[in-house]
Amino acid sequence: MIHELAETCNGPDEHIPEIYIRPEASSEEVISNYHGEAIPIIDLNKLLSPQSSEEECVKLRSACQYWGFFLLINHGVQDEVIANLKRDIVDFFSQPLDTKKEYTQLPNSLEGYGQGFVFSEDQKLDWADMLYLQVHPSDSRDLRFWPTSPASFRQSIDAYSSETKSLALCLLEFMAKAVGAKPESLLGIFEEQPRGLRMTYYPPCRQSDKVMGLSPHSDVVGLTLLLQINDVQGLQIKKDGRWLSVDSPNGALIVNIGDTLEILSNGKFRSVEHRAVINPNKERISASLFHYPCENMVIRPLPEFVKDGKPRTTASQEKKIKENTRCRNLGIAMAGARSVGSLPVPNVQALAETCNGPDEHIPERYIRPEASSEEVINNYQGSMAIPIIDLNKLLSPQSSEEEVVKLRSACQYWGFFQLINHGVPDEVIANLKRDIVDFFSQPLDTKKEYTQLPNSLEGYGQSFVFSEDQKLEWADMLYLHVHPSDSRDLRFWPTSPASFRHLSLLNRRCLKVGNPLMHTHQRLKAWHLCLFEFMAKAVGAEPESLLGLFEEQPRGLRMAYYPPCRQADKVMGLSPHSDAGGLTLLLQINDMQGLQIKKDGKWLSIDAPNGALIANVGDTLEILSNGTFRSVEHRVMVNPNKERISAALFHYPCENMVISPLPEFVKNGKVKYRSISYLDFMKQIFTQQLDGKSRVETLKLDQ
């Protein structure tokens, strides 16, 4: 950590590590005393007073338009709240390193103690340590990262977050009024939305002209409230091409506009580049409270701010917002699955060994009368057999048209199909099968090293368990986020067997189909994206209509182990449900079948030929296709004599999208499903037990 590093290299003969050396720290002009136009000061009392509000609003608009920063006085946050916060933040950073390291950031998370936005080994580093916490909504707080020492720390943070909540909304309201817009135009976007607090410690450095506390940047958020914790200044903003030092009077807050608000305001408010420099003799400490917008919104100029009909924001600005927001979301949610979790339950593999004797009883929570009460068809004959789609034929100009018709029929009437000649090398599949079997064959204590944590579905355990009296499934699972690669939480990726992490099937980027007519661009395209492309073509839509939603988006792998059960007719391996995502690709790991799908009101057993993949449509794709493609209810049954093992690869859409029927699939003007944000949809799924197709049914509109 920098705090400790600073203590070792602050002697007269000590050298600063090269990775911290920043020539630009002293190469640009800095103005310490800005004569004439000083940084604006906004008085909240005057904004609220009918006698002075109009005049102060003019000052506020000018500050947001020409400076992007202002000092806020008479802000109403109680002195005691601020004093307590300052005391506890100073006390936290004053603790021994080992104590602070108890709250160290985890991989792929910004929360906790460490640094932010470090993405490469040779990247220049900032001369600072930070503690970042998600403070609102309160149920998003990950208390693993909230220090318990000093004892009052959590209470001080909570009080400050509560006190500043109405303050930020008040400022947004007056900002809207300042340009003649309705207050609701901004309030509706930021009210009750996420807030994060970054507490930063900048150690002194004798050679302060060689290091940088915080690299030049603009904030990605809507609004930032900065509180200076001690009396050492260091903030600089860019004004007229030069750096201006900002001195914060005791008790004032420094407020600045973020990139999101610049775009929403169509450039009427400006996000401004700023940085933090280091003092040679004394540490600087600050606390920045970031106000984020609604997570699932599309950031674009609001109509109230586009009065001349000319949006002023660029694609590069919007891309910057998207990239920075994604970085923040990595630590908060991953397709909804990282913000929720499942209650711990007994290991089923171990349980099965104790209750498989002739006189043993299965615990009541696993007894499922419906397992044997519904009709099951084991051999579906004739034209009603589950469709088989040949990827070779889809790719061949001679057979593609006919195979596309079969693909449409499979997605429309079955929601399931078997995929053969898919191009995944036999060696890749064999290695994957071997390593998954080896993982589940290990002692329970070894597998438990990867146990799910509270509020997470990742790891070893079960999912969708939300109450103590809920019926349980006869299965154990290991669930991993596999794409994008920087979202992988390697705490849950087994190191035994040694080759497990090299699951190359997960990110297969190249088709190796033995078709000489396959074009080069098709060879380079991931095979799962080929299916989306041909599904779109099957209904006469542009391939990009689906590709753009799923390309480079999250994927998760669920490996499930279903132990044998002598009383198999009394238990259920996986409850009836439909998948939430866009597309699922299922690989049967051993030769034990068990998958059943609902067809014409009856359960149909599915036998997967060796080497084939089973593909099925998810709820998201059903909604996007306006019901043209169907997600189908399915379940897993247990064998009385032998375990079943499978691996399901889930393909999720873009996290921040609103799920609604795509225009390309609404050709008769009849929209069949109401819209819902994808994050809301996933939260519903991951906070309820599996229940058939109830989720998607609630979104259907009356026709």
Side-chain angles (χ1 to χ4, degrees):
M1 293 300 173
I2 309 301
H3 191 168
E4 284 62 35
L5 174 65
E7 294 176 356
T8 66
C9 62
N10 259 334
D13 300 322
E14 299 296 337
H15 294 287
I16 298 168
E18 183 63 30
I19 200 167
Y20 294 95
I21 299 293
R22 308 289 288 272
E24 69 272 24
S26 58
S27 64
E28 298 180 273
E29 183 179 2
V30 177
I31 301 175
S32 297
N33 295 294
Y34 212 74
H35 299 291
E37 259 194 306
I39 184 170
I41 299 175
I42 302 298
D43 188 330
L44 187 60
N45 272 351
K46 291 183 178 179
L47 276 177
L48 294 168
S49 169
Q51 287 73 33
S52 55
S53 184
E54 185 174 345
E55 180 182 352
E56 203 69 10
C57 260
V58 173
K59 288 178 61 179
L60 178 64
R61 172 171 180 162
S62 174
C64 295
Q65 187 168 359
Y66 299 112
W67 284 80
F69 271 78
F70 57 89
L71 297 172
L72 185 68
I73 61 174
N74 294 321
H75 43 66
V77 182
Q78 296 179 45
D79 292 344
E80 182 183 7
V81 170
I82 289 179
N84 291 341
L85 180 75
K86 288 183 174 182
R87 179 200 66 225
D88 286 344
I89 291 177
V90 169
D91 287 352
F92 170 77
F93 284 115
S94 300
Q95 296 178 114
L97 178 59
D98 286 345
T99 302
K100 292 179 287 191
K101 282 179 112 176
E102 293 176 13
Y103 309 101
T104 297
Q105 296 164 332
L106 297 177
N108 305 315
S109 174
L110 293 180
E111 284 193 90
Y113 179 64
Q115 275 204 13
F117 305 104
V118 180
F119 302 110
S120 72
E121 295 294 336
D122 56 356
Q123 176 183 334
K124 290 292 186 180
L125 299 181
D126 293 332
W127 193 260
D129 297 323
M130 77 167 195
L131 174 67
Y132 179 84
L133 301 176
Q134 195 75 19
V135 297
H136 188 83
S138 56
D139 59 5
S140 74
R141 297 175 178 178
D142 193 333
L143 295 180
R144 291 176 296 171
F145 303 111
W146 285 60
T148 55
S149 176
S152 56
F153 186 93
R154 293 183 177 185
Q155 183 178 349
S156 297
I157 298 289
D158 187 62
Y160 183 69
S161 176
S162 299
E163 285 271 323
T164 53
K165 173 184 174 181
S166 57
L167 172 60
L169 294 177
C170 185
L171 289 174
L172 291 166
E173 179 177 347
F174 281 109
M175 287 177 186
K177 287 180 178 178
V179 295
K182 292 181 179 179
E184 294 76 20
S185 62
L186 293 179
L187 289 179
I189 293 173
F190 291 95
E191 194 165 14
E192 292 303 328
Q193 297 308 320
R195 299 197 299 276
L197 184 69
R198 184 184 69 205
M199 293 148 280
T200 310
Y201 180 95
Y202 304 94
C205 180
R206 293 284 175 84
Q207 303 174 67
S208 59
D209 59 339
K210 294 183 178 180
V211 298
M212 187 78 70
L214 187 61
S215 300
H217 68 287
S218 57
D219 293 345
V220 70
V221 298
L223 200 67
T224 303
L225 302 180
L226 175 71
L227 177 66
Q228 189 71 31
I229 300 300
N230 61 358
D231 59 358
V232 177
Q233 309 298 327
L235 174 66
Q236 297 180 350
I237 68 173
K238 203 136 198 189
K239 177 69 173 170
D240 301 328
R242 294 178 290 185
W243 289 107
L244 164 66
S245 294
V246 176
D247 293 335
S248 172
N250 189 36
L253 292 172
I254 301 174
V255 182
N256 68 279
I257 305 296
D259 298 337
T260 297
L261 194 51
E262 176 174 328
I263 292 175
L264 293 172
S265 71
N266 198 31
K268 287 185 170 59
F269 305 146
R270 290 179 54 214
S271 66
V272 169
E273 195 174 353
H274 53 286
R275 67 183 187 179
V277 296
I278 298 301
N279 188 283
N281 302 309
K282 190 175 179 184
E283 74 276 4
R284 174 179 180 254
I285 310 175
S286 64
S288 299
L289 187 60
F290 302 105
H291 295 75
Y292 300 99
C294 175
E295 288 185 341
N296 59 6
M297 74 176 294
V298 176
I299 301 173
R300 59 166 64 99
L302 297 173
E304 294 88 342
F305 291 84
V306 189
K307 298 195 175 175
D308 56 2
K310 295 179 181 178
R312 297 171 186 168
T313 52
T314 65
S316 62
Q317 285 174 304
E318 295 186 10
K319 180 182 179 183
K320 179 181 177 184
I321 292 287
K322 182 177 179 181
E323 289 174 346
N324 281 278
T325 301
R326 179 177 173 274
C327 287
R328 182 179 70 86
N329 283 344
L330 281 176
I332 302 172
M334 180 70 172
R338 279 202 166 139
S339 57
V340 293
S342 187
L343 294 177
V345 296
N347 178 266
V348 181
Q349 189 175 354
L351 174 65
E353 294 174 359
T354 67
C355 62
N356 259 335
D359 300 322
E360 299 295 337
H361 294 287
I362 298 169
E364 185 62 31
R365 288 191 73 185
Y366 294 91
I367 300 294
R368 308 290 289 272
E370 69 273 24
S372 58
S373 64
E374 298 179 272
E375 182 179 0
V376 177
I377 300 176
N378 290 312
N379 294 296
Y380 223 68
Q381 301 296 325
S383 61
M384 293 302 288
I386 183 171
I388 297 175
I389 302 299
D390 188 330
L391 188 58
N392 262 351
K393 291 183 178 179
L394 278 176
L395 293 166
S396 168
Q398 286 74 31
S399 55
S400 184
E401 185 174 345
E402 180 181 351
E403 202 69 11
V404 162
V405 172
K406 288 177 60 180
L407 177 64
R408 172 171 180 160
S409 175
C411 295
Q412 186 168 0
Y413 299 111
W414 282 81
F416 270 77
F417 57 88
Q418 295 184 41
L419 185 68
I420 62 173
N421 293 322
H422 43 67
V424 183
D426 293 343
E427 182 185 5
V428 170
I429 289 180
N431 290 342
L432 178 71
K433 288 182 174 183
R434 179 200 65 224
D435 286 345
I436 292 177
V437 169
D438 287 351
F439 170 77
F440 284 114
S441 300
Q442 297 177 112
L444 179 58
D445 286 345
T446 302
K447 291 178 289 191
K448 276 188 161 185
E449 294 176 13
Y450 309 101
T451 297
Q452 296 163 333
L453 296 177
N455 303 316
S456 174
L457 293 181
E458 284 191 270
Y460 180 63
Q462 272 204 21
S463 58
F464 306 105
V465 181
F466 303 106
S467 72
E468 295 296 339
D469 57 356
Q470 177 184 331
K471 290 292 187 180
L472 299 179
E473 292 163 347
W474 196 259
D476 299 319
M477 76 164 197
L478 175 66
Y479 180 84
L480 302 174
H481 285 295
V482 297
H483 188 82
S485 57
D486 58 6
S487 75
R488 298 175 179 178
D489 192 333
L490 295 180
R491 291 175 300 167
F492 303 112
W493 285 61
T495 55
S496 175
S499 55
F500 186 93
R501 293 187 177 186
H502 301 291
L503 301 178
S504 52
L505 170 66
L506 308 181
N507 279 307
R508 193 71 195 160
R509 297 294 305 164
C510 181
L511 285 167
K512 293 187 177 178
V513 182
N515 187 334
L517 298 170
M518 189 167 59
H519 299 298
T520 301
H521 78 279
Q522 290 170 327
R523 288 184 182 274
L524 296 175
K525 189 173 294 179
W527 44 269
H528 64 275
L529 292 177
C530 270
L531 291 176
F532 285 120
E533 180 177 344
F534 283 111
M535 286 177 186
K537 287 180 179 178
V539 295
E542 290 292 326
E544 292 72 20
S545 61
L546 292 180
L547 287 178
L549 298 178
F550 291 95
E551 193 164 14
E552 293 304 327
Q553 297 307 320
R555 299 198 293 275
L557 184 71
R558 184 183 68 206
M559 293 150 279
Y561 181 97
Y562 305 93
C565 179
R566 292 284 175 85
Q567 304 173 65
D569 58 341
K570 293 183 179 180
V571 298
M572 186 83 69
L574 187 60
S575 299
H577 68 288
S578 56
D579 293 345
L583 190 70
T584 303
L585 298 177
L586 177 72
L587 178 66
Q588 189 72 31
I589 300 300
N590 61 358
D591 59 359
M592 190 54 55
Q593 309 299 328
L595 175 65
Q596 296 180 351
I597 68 173
K598 204 140 199 184
K599 176 69 174 171
D600 301 328
K602 301 174 186 176
W603 289 106
L604 165 65
S605 293
I606 302 297
D607 294 333
N610 189 35
L613 293 172
I614 298 176
N616 68 278
V617 173
D619 296 339
T620 299
L621 191 53
E622 175 174 327
I623 295 170
L624 293 172
S625 71
N626 201 33
T628 303
F629 305 144
R630 291 178 53 215
S631 65
V632 169
E633 198 173 347
H634 52 286
R635 67 182 187 180
V636 174
M637 305 307 292
V638 172
N639 188 277
N641 302 309
K642 188 176 179 183
E643 74 277 4
R644 176 179 183 260
I645 310 175
S646 64
L649 187 62
F650 302 102
H651 296 76
Y652 303 106
C654 176
E655 289 182 349
N656 59 2
M657 74 176 294
V658 174
I659 304 174
S660 60
L662 298 173
E664 295 88 341
F665 290 86
V666 187
K667 297 193 175 177
N668 57 4
K670 293 182 180 178
V671 174
K672 298 178 182 178
Y673 301 81
R674 64 181 177 87
S675 300
I676 185 172
S677 80
Y678 181 66
L679 284 177
D680 285 343
F681 185 54
M682 294 303 284
K683 283 174 185 175
Q684 288 179 15
I685 289 161
F686 288 114
T687 54
Q688 298 173 19
Q689 65 186 71
L690 297 178
D691 185 19
K693 282 197 64 175
S694 59
R695 300 179 303 261
V696 76
E697 293 297 326
T698 61
L699 298 176
K700 285 187 177 179
L701 298 171
D702 293 333
Q703 300 298 313

